[in-house]
Amino acid sequence: MNFLSIFDVIGPNMVGPSSSHTAGAAAIGLMAGKLCPGKIKKATFTLYGSFALVYKGHGTDRALLGGVLGFNTDDLRIKNAFKESKKYGMEYNFIFDKDTVPEHPNTADIELESVNGYHLKVRGVSIGGGKIKITMINDIKVEFTGEYSTLIIKQHDVPGVVAHITQCLSDDSVNIAFMRLFRDSKGGTAFTVVESDEAIPDAIISHIDDNKNVLDTILVQPR
Amino acid sequence: MDFINGAELLRACNENNISISEAMKLRERAIADDDTTMEKIRYSLSIMKNAVKKPLSHPEKSMSGLTGGEAKKIYDNFEASKGILGSLAEKAIAYSMAVLEVNASMGVIVAAPTAGSSGVLPGVLLSYAEENHLNDDEIITGLFNASAIGYLLMRNASVAGAEAGCQAEIGAASAMAASAITELRGGTPSQCLEAAAMTLANMLGLVCDPICGLVEIPCQSRNASGAMNALISAEIITSGVHFMIPFDEMSDAMLSVGKSLPLSLRETAMGGCAVTPAGCKAAKMFSEKIN
């Protein structure tokens, strides 16, 4: 069990009304936005389960959208996320899928397209108290929470890439808390997710990207 | 410094001759230095202060239209000296309900321990602070004390309505507030835990049955009820009365009662207030409004 802090009890600071349906949704959106490099021009949200059924009174749609725009869970702009999105110049579309039964009742898929043509699809689940998990990126199952400094490395599933990554981590004195490899099929595309208690330095991105089998490296610092 | 139940907390307090708030503050050093913690808690307090006051002068309707404006009415009644209970209780009611209005209209609140119960602790602490001229540091002492109780309930029982009903959610918030006021009133750590345990006992069995599944009715007035329950226990215990069931046993009992509540009474909007004819009518109107 993670250490329960004062701020897990008296917190999160959040735009209401629901920690799972509002704050959790904003956190999922925020994480998706951070995973997409460059200015986002289009966002498509698919809400499942309880999210699809009771989003309206909880502002789940506004929270997801506000998150993608970079608003934290306690940012008042969440309430006006539709207007804020227009101001930012981002198109958005919502799909409320009430038929599919998701593994977790509070699930959202977010598809993002950036101005430079980058496409990303992220699935997040809100697991209560404003806490979330990212469970899928581009149809590959992953698992991380964003509570740690997190590196997400997209790579070819070939020998030597993980060794390269751990060498880079060692060179930059990063102490690994958790490290896992996720892939769609043998020899296909894989994601390595590294989580560390201390802030992972930005400089590591270019070191990891040096390997020809690394496709993309994204570093997300905790909220 | 760490403790995983009420008995260990009490032992830590007695062995080191410290209060519950001090024990919680020392425990927090495992992840952050005191300055960082203080800076963050001051920010939390500033959000709480805004949330108890704003709806008194600038009420806003909720997203659904079910609530909004209640706190102002109560506060106006208090200011006109027409209240029934006296200034501390009247303010605590208005403040705790105000926070739920902020929450339901997508304003910023501090979940304490949850969004649905976010009115109780600020409602009690900030009205008590005004009536007794406490400064921010003293209020923060109350927040540290309350968070120790909340942490133990999160760890060993539950604070989620979906898991254990409203007794877990507003029950926990109320127990936290009761303990905090007991410490601020000069009560011992043992008395704080007794006040928290008594509060859990007084709210035992309370179901979670929100109309339309929204955090509004009966949540808003239950926050006021939770605030009152906290003051009642603090009043009783600081008078020197004892409560015979230890906090840890009461925490277990609360979880056990919560687990035995049917699913319809655990935040599913399928029982209690939610399925009264009035509740069903509101749900029908709300669903027509959004479709």
Side-chain angles (χ1 to χ4, degrees), chain A residues 95-138:
Chain A
I95 298 161
F96 304 101
D97 182 344
K98 294 174 186 171
D99 302 321
T100 307
V101 179
E103 240 172 85
H104 190 282
N106 298 325
T107 300
D109 284 346
I110 305 177
E111 282 184 75
L112 300 175
E113 198 183 322
S114 74
V115 286
N116 46 22
Y118 194 92
H119 280 262
L120 175 78
K121 189 173 164 187
V122 174
R123 170 169 291 184
V125 297
S126 172
I127 55 176
K131 296 198 180 294
I132 64 149
K133 271 196 294 199
I134 298 300
T135 59
M136 202 143 28
I137 300 178
N138 296 347

Side-chain angles (χ1 to χ4, degrees), chain A residues 57-117:
Chain A
H58 293 103
T60 308
D61 46 355
R62 298 167 197 239
L64 285 164
L65 187 59
V68 167
L69 291 169
F71 305 160
N72 273 307
T73 53
D74 63 346
D75 192 323
L76 266 175
R77 287 177 294 177
I78 284 176
K79 189 176 178 180
N80 299 314
F82 300 125
K83 266 189 204 155
E84 293 287 341
S85 188
K86 289 203 177 75
K87 207 160 90 186
Y88 179 89
M90 185 179 87
E91 273 181 66
Y92 57 84
N93 184 29
F94 284 92
I95 298 161
F96 304 101
D97 182 344
K98 294 174 186 171
D99 302 321
T100 307
V101 179
E103 240 172 85
H104 190 282
N106 298 325
T107 300
D109 284 346
I110 305 177
E111 282 184 75
L112 300 175
E113 198 183 322
S114 74
V115 286
N116 46 22

Side-chain angles (χ1 to χ4, degrees), chain A residues 16-17 24 35-36 59 100 118 122 136 172 184 186 203 205 207-208:
Chain A
L35 293 172
C36 187
T100 307
Y118 194 92
V122 174
M136 202 143 28
D172 282 326
D184 52 0
K186 191 174 179 225
I205 297 172
H207 300 163
I208 293 174

Side-chain angles (χ1 to χ4, degrees), chain A residues 11-196:
Chain A
N13 303 334
M14 54 170 276
V15 168
S18 163
S19 57
S20 54
H21 286 70
T22 320
I28 292 170
L30 187 64
M31 183 55 74
K34 283 184 180 173
L35 293 172
C36 187
K39 183 180 159 84
I40 301 163
K41 70 169 185 188
K42 192 177 173 195
T44 304
F45 302 87
T46 309
L47 282 68
Y48 302 96
S50 174
F51 267 9
L53 292 171
V54 299
Y55 71 95
K56 195 80 184 186
H58 293 103
T60 308
D61 46 355
R62 298 167 197 239
L64 285 164
L65 187 59
V68 167
L69 291 169
F71 305 160
N72 273 307
T73 53
D74 63 346
D75 192 323
L76 266 175
R77 287 177 294 177
I78 284 176
K79 189 176 178 180
N80 299 314
F82 300 125
K83 266 189 204 155
E84 293 287 341
S85 188
K86 289 203 177 75
K87 207 160 90 186
Y88 179 89
M90 185 179 87
E91 273 181 66
Y92 57 84
N93 184 29
F94 284 92
I95 298 161
F96 304 101
D97 182 344
K98 294 174 186 171
D99 302 321
T100 307
V101 179
E103 240 172 85
H104 190 282
N106 298 325
T107 300
D109 284 346
I110 305 177
E111 282 184 75
L112 300 175
E113 198 183 322
S114 74
V115 286
N116 46 22
Y118 194 92
H119 280 262
L120 175 78
K121 189 173 164 187
V122 174
R123 170 169 291 184
V125 297
S126 172
I127 55 176
K131 296 198 180 294
I132 64 149
K133 271 196 294 199
I134 298 300
T135 59
M136 202 143 28
I137 300 178
N138 296 347
D139 296 320
I140 298 175
K141 279 189 180 177
V142 297
E143 192 176 314
F144 59 93
T145 63
E147 285 172 35
Y148 299 87
S149 187
T150 307
L151 264 177
I152 299 111
I153 301 137
K154 187 180 173 188
Q155 67 202 63
H156 290 304
D157 182 35
V158 293
V161 184
V162 173
H164 164 69
I165 294 167
T166 52
Q167 188 60 52
C168 291
L169 290 164
S170 159
D171 290 348
D172 282 326
S173 314
V174 174
N175 184 35
I176 303 171
F178 308 100
M179 178 163 169
R180 291 174 75 186
L181 179 73
F182 306 90
R183 63 180 189 179
D184 52 0
S185 61
K186 191 174 179 225
T189 306
F191 284 100
T192 294
V193 175
V194 180
E195 295 171 292
S196 171

Side-chain angles (χ1 to χ4, degrees), chain A residues 4-6 11 14 16-17 79, chain B residues 27-28 60 103 105 107 109 111 144:
Chain A
L4 281 169
S5 146
I6 288 168
M14 54 170 276
K79 189 176 178 180
Chain B
R27 180 178 177 276
E28 196 73 5
E60 242 181 281
N103 186 54
S105 60
I109 54 98
F144 278 120

